[in-house]
Amino acid sequence: MMQALREPTAEMEVIYQHPAALSECRTHYCPGCTHGIAHRLLAEAIDELGIRERVILVAPVGCAVFAYEYFEVDGCEAAHGRAPAMATGIKRSCPENLVITYQGDGDLASIGAAEILHAAARGERITTIFVNNAVYGMTGGQMAPTSLLGQKTTSSPAGRMATLTGYPLHMCELLSGLQGSTYIVRRSLHDVRHIRQAKKAITTALRVQMAGLGFGMVELLSSCPTNWGLTPEQAMGWIETKLIPQYPLGDYKVTDEAKALEKAG
Amino acid sequence: MMQALREPTAEMEVIYQHPAALSECRTHYCPGCTHGIAHRLLAEAIDELGIRERVILVAPVGCAVFAYEYFEVDGCEAAHGRAPAMATGIKRSCPENLVITYQGDGDLASIGAAEILHAAARGERITTIFVNNAVYGMTGGQMAPTSLLGQKTTSSPAGRMATLTGYPLHMCELLSGLQGSTYIVRRSLHDVRHIRQAKKAITTALRVQMAGLGFGMVELLSSCPTNWGLTPEQAMGWIETKLIPQYPLGDYKVTDEAKALEKAG
Amino acid sequence: MKVECLFSGFGGQGVMFAGQLLAYAAMDAGLDVTWIPSYGPEMRGGTAHCLVVIADHPIGSPVVMHPQVAIVFNGPSFDKYEPLVAAGGLLVVNSSLVPRSSTRANLTHVRVDATQIASQLGDTHLANMVLLGAALTARPLLPLPAIERALDAHLPERHRHLLAPNKQALAAGAEVLTSP
Amino acid sequence: MKVECLFSGFGGQGVMFAGQLLAYAAMDAGLDVTWIPSYGPEMRGGTAHCLVVIADHPIGSPVVMHPQVAIVFNGPSFDKYEPLVAAGGLLVVNSSLVPRSSTRANLTHVRVDATQIASQLGDTHLANMVLLGAALTARPLLPLPAIERALDAHLPERHRHLLAPNKQALAAGAEVLTSP
Amino acid sequence: MPKELLKGNIAIAEAAVRAGMQAYFGYPITPQTELLEYLSARMPELGRTFLQAESEIAAIHMVYGAACTGVRAMTSTSSPGYSLMQEGLSYIAASDLPCVVVNMMRGGPGLGNIQPSQGDYFQMTRSAGHGDYHPIVLAPASVQEAIDFTLLAFTLAEQYRHLVILAADGQVGQMMEPAELPPLLPVAEERPVWALTGARGRGKNIISSLHLRAEEEEIANQRIQARLLTICANEQRSTEYATDDAELLVIGFGTAGRIAYSAVEAARAKGLKVGLLRPQTLYPFPEDRLSRLARQMRSCLVVEMNAGQMIEDVRLAVAGRIPVRFYGRMGGMVPMPDDVLTAIEEAYALHAAVV
Amino acid sequence: MPKELLKGNIAIAEAAVRAGMQAYFGYPITPQTELLEYLSARMPELGRTFLQAESEIAAIHMVYGAACTGVRAMTSTSSPGYSLMQEGLSYIAASDLPCVVVNMMRGGPGLGNIQPSQGDYFQMTRSAGHGDYHPIVLAPASVQEAIDFTLLAFTLAEQYRHLVILAADGQVGQMMEPAELPPLLPVAEERPVWALTGARGRGKNIISSLHLRAEEEEIANQRIQARLLTICANEQRSTEYATDDAELLVIGFGTAGRIAYSAVEAARAKGLKVGLLRPQTLYPFPEDRLSRLARQMRSCLVVEMNAGQMIEDVRLAVAGRIPVRFYGRMGGMVPMPDDVLTAIEEAYALHAAVV
Amino acid sequence: MAHGMIIVDEAHCKGCALCTTACPQQILEIDTQTLNDRGYHPAHLADPAGRCTGCAICAVICPDACITVYREARAKQGGGKDA
Amino acid sequence: MAHGMIIVDEAHCKGCALCTTACPQQILEIDTQTLNDRGYHPAHLADPAGRCTGCAICAVICPDACITVYREARAKQGGGKDA
Ligand SMILES: Cc1ncc(C[n+]2csc(CCOP(=O)(O)OP(=O)(O)O)c2C)c(N)n1
Ligand SMILES: Cc1ncc(C[n+]2csc(CCOP(=O)(O)OP(=O)(O)O)c2C)c(N)n1
Ligand code: SF4
Ligand code: SF4
Ligand code: SF4
Ligand code: SF4
Ligand code: SF4
Ligand code: SF4
Ligand SMILES: [Mg+2]
Ligand SMILES: [Mg+2]
């Protein structure tokens, strides 16, 4: 049996380290919040594709409001929900750059529903990372359009009721119906296997943009231990047992060109 | 052979006359504009269901901006695109009333995309008459999200190009994917047979609301002779040959309860 | 010198274009000019009018209450503007559509059967040129050839084939006043 | 009489609740009181503080630059507020997490191993009560039983089972100062 | 009712409930979210309408719709959300609809931060959207006033069929103070005659702000302006402290006014003849009272949590008769009484210099 | 270039093109739609960006995005659409981004009508959204000025990295007049150093208006305020007519100012000592010039197409030294020179009464 | 064949001619001699032979609801609907 | 089995414990004795037996990217990837 190590030996090599596109600063995310994982995956994808110097990141209003601080890329702050419109303005002015929006479910599916819908319908050549945690994280856990029926939140204290507030919104299903969308998939961040799949999807989505195809979005089922009132580990379980059944993982739209890129990747 | 008549004889009875729910005033619509037909059908449906005194109509900003003048029902004016939100406020405050929004394609599918999406997702118990004429009528014929590829408008003078402005939005297809929607159908106003079918759909949609089921919408393919640069008759032909192929008529979502009402009607 | 000309009628009667032609001609004559449209409260159909101010010095207000020249194409326009024409002004009326006559003594009142004349020229839409021809004959703000040059330069491409008829209509309007 | 008390620490250390208890007790004692929270720029985690002003007359500003009493739960709070305590004021420090001591001569400086004591009582979250108990012993703004009554009335339902430990913690804090 | 220790946000929410609010629509935004959260439990409990809208735009148009039906309707938001409501507010005002909007101001412009601010003074008093009108704007400085002004807001809204803004800041929303709530008023059974309730047994009712004829739009505007004149004549409200023999008048509203109160107290303790005017209505601005007070003063000092906005109303009211000085903090910074005191002393020293 | 007979809307559009505008985003709304329509053909012709946005909100955020990349970006709208842009404008201003917004005002509030109006004066000069700042506001009165100010707007926007609003009304947009367009300027090749273009060979650039620390937000605000001071010092613009020996000063901007010009001409013809000041910048308001002129006047008369908004700036500038009277029309009514003349005569008669 | 007739509300008709093309009997025409006060030529029934069946097709397509349709009662009875 | 090790950046670790549950070797634990300056107990490698395989699973799940993973080179060669 091997000996315990406190420092890597000379023969050891780094198998995994902090991605270059991710800043070395501390994030303000809660312990165990998978926003952090989403960030890391995006940074890794950027590194691997060698596009760090071409990316322009549009941060949302939501817990990821400081996203532009956390990536070593050019970045800006959109108003709540308007990241797709802002990204449109950027992409049309800098078609050679790679424009990424990073948005929460309140941001993208609630206040920003029109902007994401139209960006997708236009086939805007941008990439959206959509972090769905079924709740408004930043403002303290209110109901989101993606909250589950029965889910107790700070603005649906008796649990979300369909008769009063309707049904969870499925953004992948919705946007994949639009001709302008090219790559629309849903992944989850609740365990290592799924995280790896998510990473692959993000990479493909960026490739889609690099190839100048249409609108791409990767929805990531994500945790909010703080507002769900769960430990980080329990929260991962909640994604698996509650969120995924309501939001099935899968490829909602992958055009043939996108498929080709996916394989090539 | 019968004799020509200039006045009805005593034996004659009125087979068709101006519906009571439609005001006796002149509309400001252009000659041959099928907004007028949509109005008449809605008025007839209201009369036949005997609900004139319960209806609250929300007029849009668009050519139908004066709709509240043209119906003998309580009515109000929404800001551009916000009719579904306004209708929500009304319906929640007057659940016994029947709340109808009447909206154009610019109003509903462009600026008001978020509001209609969320009203449908909430299963808001309102009825939306969606007049799709593939153009911004009121402001003089600019491109709408529903304009066809290649369609020349005053803001797409070279014809709508997918690479620049994306693809036509199909609202029935989109909204029928939402669990909160109950009755989502598309009809056309281009000839007598289709007009009769449209009338039937409007009646069913209102019944759906009377029964307290979820969100209902009847999309009506409609003409804009003025901005299409066609005669009224040619415009009817354009609906048939151009619009319908892009926007197939049909029932996009009719829940079982709604089906039962449809049959009963 | 400063003169304000009002053109008023149904949408579709060529009211705006008649006013613009006058404005173009005035500009080419080295005068200052403003053209300002106004669409009635009806969004579609309904009345439309435009006001052209021509002056040999910079123009302040492009709007006036009492225009010196008014060319009215239809009944509602007559009713609205007949009382407003400035004293000593000119009122040109499309008598084809306006049965009433002005009873005002302090203005020059010209009635032209413009729609009828235009229809004889083959297109009722030419009534605007008939009226303009008559107006400029009654009050020669600019010579008719200046208007013809403006027509040459500004008749929209899709109406190009109507250049000659437009000029004929202008002449026909002028003739109403010159022929006995 | 008017006194301002600052409570400052990490989010989750019960800073806000300690302040609220004091406010409730003051109100029940018939005094005027304001409680005002402030969350640090970090949205999550990070520091939080609240300020309680107690007076026997209507309170104007609920904020002050130099509080008379400061109860600091952690290092960053010590660094920030130690210099700001009013001359003659009281500084209560959670010595479990703050190794540094104040060098200021013009204030009463009390160090309480609060997190440690709380952990001995079974829950580090009780440190807030330990500190409050100590503070009110060092400067008896209100008698401890008043705080106990406030606890009875306002401890959230879900923490009800911790009522007794909370009171023990209060007492333990007081003891730090009373026992030799 | 006995006093309770209440948080501003909760106090406003419960006061609105007790005032008979029948419908609330809102969207989360710090620092007013607690208000929405509280109502999400409280309104259904009473069988009333609570709905979290998909955006502030939807929220204000839901309020617009609800107000059309004659119910007491309200929304609440904070600065960026308030900006989004501008179009809807203009429609509501143009339609002569009573309703109440809470703006719990935060640091701006842009996304800014969630600290207390008074940076939307202009946007509330001068222009809640396009076109000519002013909402009534009430500015509470304490939890008790927040309660009282919530009641007042509904009363004024209905009395004048006019939009009322409750202009507070994060500090008023977050602060806890002992305060007394009113009893739960019964909800109005009857809807007003102009309300949309279905044209049963009467002609149709129409609510619209469209007047294509400029002449008619001008008449609609004149009606609004006439109403505003009445409002200005009747509804100016302010409170004062130590103005009797004051030579320097400090003027501040809401949180700034309250902090200034402590500073004025301290200045008095130092023997300076200083008084405080705290406007409680921002529109109508208490210009009559200020104009009268100004006669006796040698100068005034405006204290705001912004770059100087109310100061324009002060300057308009004193019309050049005395110097108007300014002390302000911006971007979520709350002025400290000590700093205001320093500003007072400086302003006061200038009097001495003049003598 | 020779003069052409140009319509205001088209003139602004083409002037923007010639000023090197690289990206335009807009949404149809009368009375500015022609501008958008013109650009829908013109911009692609030059290989530049034209996009009809799904709403005014999307349009302003597209402009925001484009401006972040350092291109010359513009949008245009009219009153209700301008209301919808408030949040976006506040973000843009807070982010120190140069860009140009045209507001072709129409009758309001609410849906109102499409006639010319000046009802958004406050919303443009006082508060383009929440928080403390003022955009630069330029008010053309003729087609030529519309062209010149469009150029100026881009220049000032870039010089100060500040938001510039071109404040016109339906009349300026719809009117045709002879005017001269500038030559087509080459589009800037280089993007500014702060622009988002990808962090190639440099550290990352960030554009954000978020400053969670109030201290930092205050610094950001101070930076804006300092810039506004410079702007106020350097950019006040106005034009005058017959002020030399005038005793009554008429003040009006844009269309109202131009109509007032005719009325002043007529008054002069009647021998009245009347002059005109027409502010060309509404922010910064030409208070220095007005304040100087006021010394020589016995009173002034403000003419606006609203209920009286600029009058506040006038009153602030004259600070009570002379009476300020008002003549206004609302809701899309355009004042007639005759009526302004009557108002002038009445105001003038009051001088005589005083003597 | 039932016997019918229609009356066009000339003041409201906008002369769009949709009824004229829709009428299966081709007995409606635009009256270019008449101009209503909005400036439109209204449609009118030109049915010297009394061919109008009262089918109401014209009314169904009329965007301005300005056609009233009459039919002889027996026709309706013939349709068996009025029993 | 390859031989590996990890280093946790304690200043950045938030003690969420996701790595501890994910590690197939169960050799990561939260160090309740240490408190970083944000008030969190960081995770640390407790691998006296040297069971860490360098599989990087802990790093893949760490939301704060604060785990660096090392592995002996031959292990990698063994994987045939570095050929
Ligand atoms: C116009 C506007 N409305 C509301 C807010 C307040 N707000 C900030 S974040 C947020 C919700 C964020 O939720 P989500 O997008 O799901 O992101 P998460 O925090 O869950 O990652 C809201 C409502 C705001 N900043 N601006
Ligand atoms: C906020 C706002 N933006 C824009 C407008 C201008 N506007 C009025 S109607 C309209 C489009 C109407 O098109 P559509 O909804 O398709 O109705 P249609 O006229 O074709 O029936 C627009 C853009 C407005 N009134 N308000
Ligand atoms: S509040 Fe939720 S989403 Fe936001 S950082 Fe915390 S855990 Fe993550
Ligand atoms: S513009 Fe088009 S949609 Fe509007 S009334 Fe005319 S024909 Fe109908
Ligand atoms: S009722 Fe039938 S037959 Fe008679 S005119 Fe109408 S369409 Fe023709
Ligand atoms: S369809 Fe109606 S409006 Fe059109 S011509 Fe016939 S009667 Fe007139
Ligand atoms: S690398 Fe693998 S074995 Fe080693 S600590 Fe991490 S998860 Fe455990
Ligand atoms: S997963 Fe990362 S942040 Fe969480 S405990 Fe492990 S090392 Fe620390
Ligand atoms: Mg979320
Ligand atoms: Mg349309």
Side-chain angles (χ1 to χ4, degrees), chain F:
Chain F
M1 303 240 161
K3 288 203 175 187
E4 302 166 56
L5 192 65
L6 287 170
K7 200 167 194 179
N9 279 324
I10 309 299
I12 293 173
E14 180 62 25
V17 166
R18 302 213 179 169
M21 172 176 67
Q22 288 148 282
Y24 172 92
F25 305 91
Y27 189 76
I29 184 167
T30 314
Q32 65 77 42
T33 308
E34 291 157 312
L35 202 164
L36 169 144
E37 289 176 346
Y38 178 85
L39 290 173
S40 73
R42 184 72 169 127
M43 293 292 276
E45 207 173 275
L46 296 168
R48 305 188 191 170
T49 300
F50 167 89
L51 185 62
Q52 182 178 319
E54 61 269 30
S55 68
E56 289 87 351
I57 292 189
I60 193 66
H61 287 95
M62 289 173 185
V63 166
Y64 183 15
C68 281
T69 71
V71 303
R72 292 196 149 181
M74 181 175 107
T75 186
S76 58
T77 188
S78 178
S79 308
Y82 183 70
S83 280
L84 285 171
M85 293 185 179
Q86 298 299 298
E87 191 202 24
L89 293 176
S90 180
Y91 271 73
I92 288 172
S95 307
D96 305 325
L97 291 171
C99 66
V100 176
V101 174
V102 179
N103 180 10
M104 203 61 79
M105 288 175 276
R106 56 187 243 177
L111 185 49
N113 59 31
I114 58 176
Q115 316 301 330
S117 159
Q118 301 183 325
D120 305 348
Y121 183 92
F122 281 142
Q123 205 183 12
M124 293 187 294
T125 60
R126 286 302 184 287
S127 63
H130 56 285
D132 277 301
Y133 80 96
H134 304 263
I136 296 173
V137 185
L138 305 177
S142 67
V143 173
Q144 187 63 56
E145 254 183 9
I147 293 169
D148 297 344
F149 288 2
T150 302
L151 295 183
L152 180 62
F154 281 103
T155 308
L156 294 178
E158 271 164 35
Q159 177 177 343
Y160 293 104
R161 284 185 64 183
H162 203 74
L163 175 63
V164 181
I165 313 269
L166 198 66
D169 59 62
Q171 178 151 319
V172 172
Q174 302 281 322
M175 187 168 47
M176 290 177 94
E177 274 188 304
E180 195 180 327
L181 283 162
L184 188 67
L185 292 180
V187 159
E189 286 288 315
E190 287 274 290
R191 304 274 172 104
V193 287
W194 48 261
L196 306 185
T197 52
R200 194 165 306 143
R202 58 159 170 78
K204 64 176 175 176
N205 282 343
I206 288 177
I207 294 177
S208 165
S209 65
L210 173 65
H211 305 283
L212 274 190
R213 272 181 207 289
E215 292 79 359
E216 285 164 20
E217 180 70 65
E218 189 170 51
I219 291 168
N221 270 279
Q222 281 159 349
R223 197 185 56 228
I224 294 174
Q225 294 300 324
R227 189 194 307 153
L228 292 177
L229 273 184
T230 314
I231 289 171
C232 284
N234 299 340
E235 306 299 344
Q236 296 180 22
R237 283 173 171 79
S238 59
T239 177
E240 283 165 46
Y241 165 68
T243 48
D244 277 359
D245 63 340
E247 297 178 1
L248 170 66
L249 184 66
V250 179
I251 308 164
F253 70 94
T255 291
R258 184 167 176 163
I259 291 167
Y261 172 87
S262 288
V264 170
E265 245 186 344
R268 279 281 168 184
K270 291 190 168 193
L272 307 187
K273 291 190 172 171
V274 182
L276 174 78
L277 178 76
R278 179 162 65 77
Q280 293 169 307
T281 50
L282 304 185
Y283 188 93
F285 187 73
E287 54 179 347
D288 297 346
R289 181 66 195 143
L290 173 55
S291 169
R292 218 164 310 125
L293 275 176
R295 287 196 203 121
Q296 123 199 2
M297 303 292 164
R298 299 174 63 181
S299 76
C300 60
L301 173 71
V302 175
V303 180
E304 297 185 71
M305 281 150 59
N306 60 37
Q309 300 192 15
M310 183 184 67
I311 192 176
E312 287 198 2
D313 280 325
V314 171
R315 287 173 58 205
L316 286 167
V318 307
R321 276 177 280 143
I322 52 172
V324 179
R325 302 202 166 80
F326 183 68
Y327 178 78
R329 299 303 299 266
M330 295 178 289
M333 292 300 289
V334 176
M336 288 291 152
D338 297 4
D339 297 331
V340 179
L341 177 59
T342 308
I344 289 173
E345 287 172 333
E346 282 168 16
Y348 208 81
L350 290 169
H351 293 181
V354 170
V355 175

Side-chain angles (χ1 to χ4, degrees), chain E residues 101-349:
Chain E
V101 174
V102 179
N103 180 11
M104 203 61 81
M105 288 175 277
R106 56 187 243 179
L111 184 50
N113 59 30
I114 58 177
Q115 317 301 330
S117 159
Q118 301 182 326
D120 306 347
Y121 183 92
F122 281 142
Q123 207 184 12
M124 292 187 294
T125 61
R126 287 302 184 288
S127 65
H130 56 286
D132 278 301
Y133 80 97
H134 304 263
I136 296 174
V137 185
L138 306 176
S142 67
V143 173
Q144 188 63 56
E145 254 184 8
I147 293 169
D148 298 344
F149 288 3
T150 301
L151 295 182
L152 181 62
F154 281 103
T155 308
L156 293 178
E158 272 164 34
Q159 177 177 344
Y160 294 104
R161 285 185 62 182
H162 202 75
L163 175 63
V164 181
I165 313 271
L166 197 67
D169 59 63
Q171 178 151 318
V172 171
Q174 303 282 322
M175 186 168 48
M176 289 178 95
E177 274 188 301
E180 194 181 328
L181 283 161
L184 188 67
L185 292 181
V187 159
E189 285 287 316
E190 288 273 289
R191 303 275 172 103
V193 286
W194 49 260
L196 305 185
T197 54
R200 195 167 304 142
R202 57 160 170 79
K204 64 177 176 176
N205 282 342
I206 287 177
I207 295 177
S208 166
S209 66
L210 174 65
H211 305 283
L212 274 191
R213 269 180 209 290
E215 291 81 359
E216 286 164 19
E217 180 70 65
E218 188 169 53
I219 291 168
N221 269 281
Q222 281 159 350
R223 196 184 58 229
I224 295 174
Q225 294 302 322
R227 188 195 307 151
L228 292 177
L229 273 184
T230 315
I231 290 172
C232 282
N234 298 341
E235 306 298 346
Q236 296 181 23
R237 282 172 172 78
S238 58
T239 180
E240 282 165 43
Y241 165 67
T243 48
D244 277 359
D245 63 340
E247 297 177 2
L248 170 66
L249 183 67
V250 179
I251 309 164
F253 71 95
T255 291
R258 184 168 177 163
I259 291 166
Y261 172 89
S262 289
V264 169
E265 247 186 342
R268 279 280 169 186
K270 291 192 168 191
L272 306 187
K273 292 191 172 171
V274 182
L276 174 77
L277 178 76
R278 180 163 64 78
Q280 292 169 307
T281 50
L282 304 184
Y283 188 94
F285 187 74
E287 53 178 347
D288 297 346
R289 182 65 196 143
L290 174 56
S291 168
R292 216 164 311 127
L293 275 176
R295 284 193 207 121
Q296 124 199 359
M297 303 291 164
R298 297 174 64 180
S299 75
C300 60
L301 173 70
V302 175
V303 180
E304 297 184 72
M305 281 151 58
N306 59 38
Q309 300 191 15
M310 183 183 67
I311 191 176
E312 287 198 2
D313 280 325
V314 171
R315 288 173 58 205
L316 286 168
V318 308
R321 276 176 283 144
I322 53 173
V324 180
R325 301 202 167 79
F326 184 69
Y327 178 78
R329 300 303 300 264
M330 296 177 288
M333 291 301 289
V334 176
M336 288 291 152
D338 297 4
D339 297 331
V340 179
L341 177 60
T342 308
I344 289 173
E345 287 172 334
E346 282 168 15
Y348 209 82

Side-chain angles (χ1 to χ4, degrees), chain H residues 6 23-25 27-28 45 51-58 69:
Chain H
I6 66 150
C23 171
Q25 307 296 327
I27 51 180
L28 288 170
L45 183 64
R51 277 160 46 210
C52 175
T53 61
C55 67
I57 281 178
C58 52
V69 185

